[in-house]
Amino acid sequence: MLQAGQNVIVFDGGFGSELERRGLYGIPEDLNITASEEIKEIHRAYSCADIATANTFGLNRIKYHGAFSIEQIAKQAVENARASGKKVFVDIGPTGAMMEPLGTLTFDKAYEAFAEIADITNDIADGYIVETFADLYEIKACILALKEHSDKPVYATMTFDATERTLTGSTPEIVANTLSGLGVDALGVNCSLGPKELLPVVERLLKASDKPVIVQPNRGLPILENGKTVYKLGIDEFEEYTEKMLDMGVSIIGGCCGTTPEFIQRISRFSGRKVNRPVIIPKTVINSPTVLTEIDGVKICGERLNPTGKKALKEALINENYDYLTDEAIKQQEAGADLLDVNVGLPQLDEKKVMPEVVRKIQEYTDLPLQIDSSDPAAIEAGVRNYNGIPLINSVNGEEEVMARIFPIAKKYGAVVLGLAMDKNGVPRTAEKRFEIAEKIVSRAADFGIPKHKVMIDTLVVTASAEQALVRETLEALRLVKTLGVKTALGVSNVSFGLPNRPLLNRTFLSMAMTCGLNMPIMNPLDGEMVGAVRAHAVLSGEDENSEKYIEAYKDYNSAVNSSAPAAAKKEEKTASTLYDCVKQGLKNHAEELCEKELAVNEPMYVVNEVLIKALEEVGDLYESGKLFLPQLVASAEAAKLAFAVIGKYLPKDAEPKGKVVLATVKGDVHDIGKNIVKVVLQSYGYTVIDLGKDVPVQKVVEACKEHDPVAVGLSALMTTTVKGMEETIAALRAENCKAKIFVGGAVLNAETAKKINADYYTKDALGFAKLLDELFPANK
């Protein structure tokens, strides 16, 4: 019997492209019923594989709008797949909608859609293959739904582009850490690119997780010939690179778009081969969707989102003034924090309700990983569940009851957990006793299936004013705990409570603690001298190789201006003080206010051209260079859109508006993430967008052009099978003498394909579309 991770398992190949190759058109999922025998024949053709994939990729209540019930199709699809004579995995694809904050789809709504599929199919399927996801948050909702509503294996894959990131900016390491943490049975990559181009992504996945890795590449990128989608990659080359991946340690192989039964027949010879994986050295890592932080050396945890002793933060939480919290988060990130502590513990608040709201809001404005901090297990779980990525949980202690409540949460969501070296008797007075409790925490964590690299220990800081002798015990406990092979943390500023000149004591104690093995000081990153001590320690300990980070932070150092604060800390005043920076950083909550300030001293068109457009251009340059990612791009576009709305009130009523643009995802295609991004960016550039939605009939696009007389039409397609629909739409527009410039985009397109289907322009992303429009119609600028 083949076992994932030990023997090579072969999945089947492309299904949508196979439907097109056989002349089967329409909603793919409906074909399970309307063309059942033809679907069974495809499955039989793929019987050389070890596992058959049911024809259910678009089957969820958000995406599917066909003629049958979801239950009807799901059951028939599994029955059809049984014709292969092999195990059947239900294929689960994304909803096609954008998750909050990029779009309007909530985590809970996405979860419900995927849970419905699991409820229907758990008793009839052998497993689930979750594939072609581009959003880490959406795939988390999907995996949790399957794990909580099914007892079958879950294999999960995401798509990566040529930058080796997903559409929303996740690296292979971030994907591997998150999916491993959520307990999938295998993880990897599908679709995306051809097998040769995916080798770097595969190598990174293999190094980042010990889970079995699955790879199902496209047959390269398609081109259009005589109205048909054509793949040029040969079967020999596909086999060659598949074998290279197996030699690297890949466990599960198959094919995606363009691969045929002949391709799978060729690579089926690898079935059962012994898997040889590289040795993985576990690391203590947490991540947001776009930033992975390894707790190694010394990493700063920003403490300013904990209301203890902070009157303004308490009032903000009580009044649900989350703008205050996001401002504090941004300031800490700008000042050099590596992660942020989030605590909403106030007696008058429902922590379970408030924690996920605060987590979502902070993640909308900063990409730093978070530490979810609470004494309430329900609040911890609510925060961790709604967190996009893998967080740090603060905390457990040596009490059995506390560990029994918190460890299952950490295990379920893959979180790193911070253990406090105390128990029901309080903080021990000796280092040895604290070490004993730390040992117990690490041991009990292992009983719950949590390895030691997922555990950190806080040896607890006492105040020097009250317990001066115990300060040394805290430092000695640090040294002892390091022998357990775990990372350490301390709330540094507690040491100075009740004494004068607290900053001096704090940074001195910090330096002593780092020398004793402290990995994560929980501190105020706006204290430039404290941050400076961390950076100096990194240089002197050799962690900061060639002093590169230190030099970057202090390259503009001027002792006459600021004795110690790094350049990053000086940005605090700039963070939300100008409209330009507001747009650049995507601070939507300040856009309208700062726009009004700009308009008080500058003419509206000056603000448009010299502030908004230039800020968006800088964001665009950062995005194209891989320094910003989709969430930041969309946030900046949204901020600019809000500012444009304010400016519109100041423009003369007869002022010439920018041109109209008609957008549509073409008939047969229900993937509208790309189109929605284009809409937001075009609106931020001042264009009026007529959004026709997804799965748009040809005639509807033609009628919209007649009615609105747009300067441009933007057509989107993600599926290879719907490029033909795009070509038909363009032909109909040409037949009606449409004067608008026709733009096309989507993952399956390139400039060559755009030319062959008679489009005017191809743009690879939303910014390219907006900039090209401004070049074509300079009068609109």
Side-chain angles (χ1 to χ4, degrees), residues 114-242:
F114 298 125
E116 180 181 21
I117 302 300
D119 288 336
I120 292 169
T121 59
N122 182 51
D123 291 337
I124 59 175
D126 298 300
Y128 297 90
I129 175 69
V130 178
E131 58 181 2
T132 324
F133 278 70
D135 187 329
L136 196 71
Y137 204 30
E138 186 178 19
I139 202 170
K140 177 177 179 177
C142 182
I143 292 168
L144 285 176
L146 296 178
K147 286 289 184 180
E148 292 174 355
H149 290 257
S150 169
D151 56 2
K152 302 296 171 58
V154 176
Y155 296 177
T157 60
M158 297 194 74
T159 61
F160 296 82
D161 60 25
T163 67
E164 299 177 24
R165 285 186 181 257
T166 68
L167 177 66
T168 52
S170 301
T171 65
E173 292 78 13
I174 287 171
V175 169
N177 192 50
T178 303
L179 302 192
S180 294
L182 293 172
V184 298
D185 298 277
L187 60 87
V189 53
N190 81 298
C191 203
S192 307
L193 307 164
K196 178 180 179 180
E197 293 78 12
L198 281 181
L199 286 177
V201 171
V202 172
E203 182 178 20
R204 293 173 68 178
L205 288 170
L206 286 164
K207 290 180 178 179
S209 172
D210 59 3
K211 292 283 185 179
V213 170
I214 175 172
V215 184
Q216 298 192 89
N218 283 342
R219 185 182 167 184
L221 291 176
I223 61 173
L224 205 67
E225 287 185 355
N226 301 319
K228 290 188 176 182
T229 304
V230 177
Y231 295 85
K232 294 292 190 180
L233 185 70
I235 194 167
D236 291 338
E237 187 175 357
F238 190 88
E239 179 187 25
E240 174 190 351
Y241 284 101
T242 297

Side-chain angles (χ1 to χ4, degrees), residues 45 511 547 755:
S511 296
S547 307
K755 183 177 180 181

Side-chain angles (χ1 to χ4, degrees), residues 373-550:
D373 182 0
S374 177
S375 59
D376 181 356
I380 287 176
E381 177 154 24
V384 173
R385 185 178 186 84
N386 287 273
Y387 178 80
N388 191 355
I390 296 294
L392 173 61
I393 289 176
N394 184 356
S395 57
V396 298
N397 58 42
E399 294 184 52
E400 188 61 41
E401 297 81 2
V402 175
M403 291 187 287
R405 289 196 299 266
I406 301 301
F407 282 149
I409 299 172
K411 174 62 177 175
K412 178 177 180 178
Y413 298 99
V416 176
V417 63
L418 180 61
L420 308 182
M422 59 179 289
D423 56 21
K424 61 184 178 181
N425 297 316
V427 180
R429 298 187 65 81
T430 66
E432 290 75 18
K433 286 293 183 182
R434 295 187 208 182
F435 175 73
E436 288 177 11
I437 294 174
E439 267 191 316
K440 178 182 178 181
I441 291 171
V442 173
S443 175
R444 290 295 287 129
D447 293 340
F448 283 86
I450 301 171
K452 66 170 57 177
H453 70 272
K454 288 277 191 178
V455 180
M456 297 180 63
I457 296 294
D458 184 335
T459 57
L460 299 170
V461 176
V462 295
T463 59
S465 59
E467 299 278 7
Q468 189 173 6
L470 297 192
V471 174
R472 295 192 300 273
E473 298 299 318
T474 294
L475 296 176
E476 179 59 26
L478 268 181
R479 292 192 185 94
L480 292 174
V481 165
K482 294 299 289 186
T483 66
L484 295 175
V486 297
K487 306 302 181 183
T488 58
L490 286 176
V492 175
S493 60
N494 292 337
V495 76
S496 63
F497 187 79
L499 292 171
N501 196 2
R502 292 187 66 187
L504 176 61
L505 287 171
N506 289 343
R507 66 176 179 269
T508 303
F509 177 72
L510 172 62
S511 296
M512 295 169 68
M514 288 188 292
T515 302
C516 294
L518 174 62
N519 296 115
M520 192 186 79
I522 304 171
M523 56 179 253
N524 178 10
L526 301 187
D527 184 331
E529 293 190 340
M530 291 280 281
V531 174
V534 172
R535 289 195 165 115
H537 174 82
V539 172
L540 300 176
S541 66
E543 178 192 348
D544 183 1
E545 191 171 351
N546 298 321
S547 307
E548 289 180 1
K549 295 178 181 178
Y550 183 88

